[in-house]
Amino acid sequence: MENIPVVMIIFGGSGDLAHRKLYPALFNLYQKGLIHDHFAVIGTARRPWSHEYLQEQVVEAIKESNSSFDEKDAKEFASHFYYQSHDVTDVDHYIALKELATKLDKKYHAEGNRIFYMAMAPRFFGTIATHINDQKLVGSGFNRLVIEKPFGHDLASAEKLNQEISESFAEDSVYRIDHYLGKEMVQNIMPLRMTNPIVNNIWCKKYIANMQVTLAESLGVGTRGGYYETSGALRDMVQNHIFQIITLLAMPEPKALDSDHIHEAKQELLDSLVIPTPEMVKQHFSRGQYLASDDEVEYLKADQVAPDSKVETFVAGEVNFKKGPVAGVPIYFRTGKKMKDKVSRIDIVLHHMNNLYGNAHSNNISIIIDPRSEIFFTINGKKITTEGLRRENLSYKFSKEEMAQVPDGYERLLHDVFVADRTNFTHWSELKQYWKFVDAVEAAWQDENKDIKQLDQYPSGEFGTESSNHIFEKDTEHWIYR
């Protein structure tokens, strides 16, 4: 499919997300021909920009992301961009936006197709969706709504937001975007599991002792303390990125590789999600806040952070399912700020086998998502010149040339929006289960907060709290990456 006709409206068109991610991703899709002659993009925000100024910003965004870009090509691409100063709470501004969209639809022969992208504060999502509907901003062709995270603050707010959106858009027109689902190695989880007998045959409780997901960041909250105080690591990372990865690891094999069957398999799994009790949270979860480093103050002294805050910058915990191929297998996760490395990885730990050598280590399957793309199997082998065994990694990784071909996550997911492939987007029924889990943990923590003055503190440059090393079901279990 190429040269798709569409008018795309980006709410928050002057923002950082649009500049760093959306405009470069759209340019790459333009160069590949997915969109070319019959598209237009309207950027909206409160700033009093002009069409020409937005076009300059688009060219600059492309230049910053691509050192070898063709300026003539970039300017031709940017000529399809238009700006509408817009207050999302003002109904009259939607009328003006509709007039511009209608004009551009005719100019570019966009066939009444519309994509609405919400790249701004989540508190406006419901308002925008409502006014798109009541001011009839939708086109006569397809209409698709793309929503950034976070989708709500808890289950109640997410249900309210979903209700507002569902009054304007059908569920199959809503694309809840999570850029982790566009990452190369996240998309490799299903092929790894389902096309390799050596992996597929051991993907069960009999052979897998536990699974571990680590999404670690080396930076602190910086100037985003105000946002983080309303979120915390659990809501910021677990409710979306981590649960998306866990779902792909634990879901049953779908009946077919299309969006409907894949989401059906995901839902079958998530219906069996074990919602943690307060006792489970106490035993198998850990949270904490980072201490100061040479280049950043401790969290409690960061800008816009309450000095007595109990918001976690690190969380580790356990997820279990009652159904699926790894039912009963503990899936551990951890994520946080100011940790030892900036790394995203999955470690599958296989059961240790009794053997004649006695001292053989267990086998692991590791999937490195960032900062590089790699899958490796850790196996045992014979030492060459001395007695005993050594551990070796059998590696599957890309060459530099192959890595250069890997699209950015946003490019991949925007492509899927254009071609109406919802495989790598979150359905409401799935998101609802994620929120049930998160709300249960948050409720347990709120009760704990009554009896503690301060959360555990962990040194910057470490992999979180000391107590996170003791959340495991068995004393013999530990974090593989440390």
Side-chain angles (χ1 to χ4, degrees), residues 11 13 110 119 144 148 176 188 198 231 238 265 366-367:
F11 294 91
R144 296 167 192 157
E148 283 281 343
R176 298 176 189 85
N188 238 323
I198 193 172
S231 173
V238 178
S366 297
I367 304 170

Side-chain angles (χ1 to χ4, degrees), residues 412-429:
R412 269 205 170 111
L413 296 176
L414 281 172
H415 170 278
D416 291 349
V417 174
F418 282 115
V419 301
D421 183 350
R422 298 179 69 235
T423 301
N424 292 306
F425 297 86
T426 310
H427 286 193
W428 163 244
S429 56

Side-chain angles (χ1 to χ4, degrees), residues 46-242:
R46 297 180 73 104
R47 297 176 183 178
W49 287 6
S50 63
H51 299 326
E52 293 75 20
Y53 187 75
L54 173 61
Q55 291 168 10
E56 291 173 5
Q57 291 299 304
V58 170
V59 173
E60 186 63 26
I62 296 166
K63 184 177 180 180
E64 290 172 5
S65 66
N66 187 345
S67 59
S68 61
F69 86 116
D70 184 301
E71 187 166 0
K72 181 181 178 182
D73 202 21
K75 287 183 176 179
E76 173 58 33
F77 166 74
S79 71
H80 290 253
F81 282 69
Y82 299 81
Y83 188 78
Q84 176 72 55
S85 184
H86 184 76
D87 179 351
V88 298
T89 64
D90 189 335
V91 174
D92 290 340
H93 284 204
Y94 290 88
I95 297 172
L97 194 56
K98 178 183 178 181
E99 291 175 354
L100 178 58
T102 301
K103 177 182 176 182
L104 295 177
D105 191 282
K106 293 179 180 177
K107 178 177 180 178
Y108 290 99
H109 307 287
E111 299 181 5
N113 296 327
R114 299 276 193 278
I115 292 175
F116 304 92
Y117 198 114
M118 295 193 187
M120 58 191 311
R123 67 181 182 275
F124 296 121
F125 290 174
T127 299
I128 295 170
T130 298
H131 288 319
I132 287 173
N133 184 47
D134 61 31
Q135 297 308 311
K136 297 183 172 30
L137 193 54
V138 295
S140 58
F142 67 69
N143 292 276
R144 296 167 192 157
L145 179 69
V146 186
I147 305 175
E148 283 281 343
K149 78 173 186 74
F151 193 90
H153 180 74
D154 53 18
L155 179 57
S157 61
E159 286 181 323
K160 181 176 182 295
L161 175 56
N162 191 68
Q163 178 61 35
E164 292 173 332
I165 289 172
S166 65
E167 290 173 357
S168 305
F169 290 86
E171 174 64 21
D172 61 6
S173 297
V174 179
Y175 293 72
R176 298 176 189 85
I177 196 167
D178 183 337
H179 70 275
Y180 260 76
L181 286 179
K183 290 181 177 289
E184 180 68 22
M185 281 303 160
V186 174
Q187 295 200 348
N188 238 323
I189 291 173
M190 285 178 57
L192 172 69
R193 282 183 51 188
M194 298 172 190
T195 67
N196 298 292
I198 193 172
V199 177
N200 187 271
N201 289 331
I202 62 170
W203 209 264
C204 60
K205 186 176 182 179
K206 179 179 178 181
Y207 295 105
I208 296 178
N210 67 73
M211 296 179 167
Q212 303 176 13
V213 178
T214 298
L215 302 189
E217 299 182 59
S218 57
L219 297 177
V221 298
T223 60
R224 299 178 69 236
Y227 162 74
Y228 218 75
E229 280 288 272
T230 67
S231 173
L234 185 69
R235 289 189 176 101
D236 188 47
M237 297 293 286
V238 178
Q239 177 268 328
N240 40 72
H241 304 327
I242 285 179

